[in-house]
Amino acid sequence: MNMKMKIPASYVFLSFAILVSGCASLPNAMTDHVDNRRVEYTLTRNGNQAVIFENGLGGTMDWWAKVFPEISKNTTAFAYNRPGYGKSDSVSTPRDGIHIVDELRSLLKSKNLNPPYVLVGHSLGGLYMQLFARRYPDEVSALVLVDSTHPKQLKGAGSSENWPTWLRIMFGVATSAVVKEELNAINVTGEDVLQLATFTGKPVFVLSALQPMKENSTLADDANEKRKDIARLYPGSKQIWVDSGHGIPLEKPEAIISTIREVLPQ
C-alpha cells in the first residue's frame, strides 16, 4: 500500500479512497450482468460454507488480495465491488446500508450462494455486514468485523464538522460521487443498525487496530472509544487487538485468516 502523504491513523478510515494505491489484484476477477447492471466479482467454490467479503469506503475487492486466496482454498469465497467501484456499474438507488445489503443479498442469490454465510467486513464494509447480520440473522453463521465503522462513527466528536480542514478539502476534491454518497449515508445506516436487535447466539469476532490507540486528540480519542465500543454492541463477542493500522487486510492479513478459520465448520 503506497501512501501519498502521512495522515493520523484516526483519520485513515475516512481517507482510504484518497490515499490508497498499489494493492495487489485478486485472481480470477470477472464481470457479469445481474439485474441489468454489470458487477465485478471473484468467486471460488471449494466447500459448502460461503465466506462473503465486503470492502471499506472507497476500497475495492483487491483489499482482500492477501486474505482471499488462503480462505478460498477450502471454502466457497466471494468478494465483489459495490456499485460505482472498479468495473461495477453505478446505480441510481440511495447508497445507504439497507440498499447496499439488499443488493448484496440479491447478488448472492443470483450466484446460487446459499446461506448461512460467514460475513467479513472491513471499515465501512463492517457496518454494512452488521446491518446484514441484524436484518437477516437466520442467513448468517458468523460475523467478522475488521476495524469496523461504528454505527455512531460520525456522531458526537466524530462528526464531519470536527474534521480538520485539510481532510474536508481532500475528501471533497479527491473522492468519487459514490464515495461521497456512502459517507453521507453513514448516519442513516448506523441508525438502521441500532434500531434492529443485536446479532447474538453465533460467533462474532471484532478485530480492532491497536496502533491508532496510541494517538491523542479529540477526534482520535472519540474514534478509539468507538473502536472499543463495537464489541459491547455484540454480547458474547470476542475482541482481538491487532498490532496494525486501520488497513488490517493488507498489513496483518494473517489475523483475519486465522479468525475466519476459527469460525468455519471443522
Side-chain angles (χ1 to χ4, degrees), residues 242-258:
V242 182
D243 188 13
S244 171
H246 182 60
I248 296 174
L250 297 176
E251 297 176 48
K252 291 295 176 70
E254 63 277 6
I256 303 172
I257 293 167
S258 62

Side-chain angles (χ1 to χ4, degrees), residues 13-14 57-58 85 94-97 100 124 127-128 149 151 154-155 159-161 163 168 171-172 175-192:
F13 81 97
L14 300 170
L57 181 67
Y85 287 82
R95 295 297 81 206
D96 59 83
I100 287 170
L124 182 56
L127 185 62
Y128 295 147
T149 298
L154 299 188
K155 291 189 175 182
S159 169
S160 59
E161 297 176 356
W163 296 358
R168 291 199 300 270
F171 206 91
T175 55
S176 67
V178 69
V179 169
K180 292 182 177 72
E181 290 173 16
E182 289 188 1
L183 182 74
N184 289 337
I186 282 180
N187 284 339
V188 171
T189 299
E191 290 166 4
D192 288 335

Side-chain angles (χ1 to χ4, degrees), residues 77-153:
F78 180 83
Y80 79 115
N81 284 328
R82 295 192 295 276
Y85 287 82
K87 296 179 181 178
S88 292
D89 289 338
S90 299
V91 294
S92 59
T93 52
R95 295 297 81 206
D96 59 83
I98 286 180
H99 283 88
I100 287 170
V101 164
D102 285 350
E103 288 164 359
L104 171 58
R105 188 166 173 258
S106 176
L107 178 58
L108 296 176
K109 290 182 177 180
S110 76
K111 298 303 171 188
N112 296 314
L113 295 174
N114 299 318
Y117 309 114
V118 173
L119 300 181
V120 184
H122 174 233
S123 195
L124 182 56
L127 185 62
Y128 295 147
M129 290 312 206
Q130 291 180 61
L131 182 59
F132 194 127
R134 291 183 183 223
R135 191 168 168 83
Y136 303 108
D138 292 342
E139 298 181 10
V140 180
S141 61
L143 181 61
V144 178
L145 302 175
V146 183
D147 216 37
S148 173
T149 298
H150 190 283
K152 294 184 178 181
Q153 192 76 52

Side-chain angles (χ1 to χ4, degrees), residues 7-110:
I7 60 173
S10 55
Y11 303 152
V12 173
F13 81 97
L14 300 170
S15 310
F16 273 171
I18 304 171
L19 300 174
V20 173
S21 62
C23 296
S25 297
L26 272 178
N28 304 317
M30 63 191 82
T31 59
D32 199 0
H33 281 81
V34 179
D35 295 332
N36 298 316
R37 64 180 176 88
R38 185 175 58 175
V39 178
E40 184 177 23
Y41 67 97
T42 185
L43 170 63
T44 62
R45 298 181 186 271
N46 292 321
N48 293 326
Q49 177 65 67
V51 180
I52 313 301
F53 294 89
E54 184 65 85
N55 320 316
L57 181 67
T60 66
M61 62 185 183
D62 291 336
W63 269 87
W64 302 108
K66 295 183 178 181
V67 177
F68 190 95
E70 287 298 315
I71 295 303
S72 65
K73 288 178 179 178
N74 52 14
T75 67
T76 291
F78 180 83
Y80 79 115
N81 284 328
R82 295 192 295 276
Y85 287 82
K87 296 179 181 178
S88 292
D89 289 338
S90 299
V91 294
S92 59
T93 52
R95 295 297 81 206
D96 59 83
I98 286 180
H99 283 88
I100 287 170
V101 164
D102 285 350
E103 288 164 359
L104 171 58
R105 188 166 173 258
S106 176
L107 178 58
L108 296 176
K109 290 182 177 180
S110 76

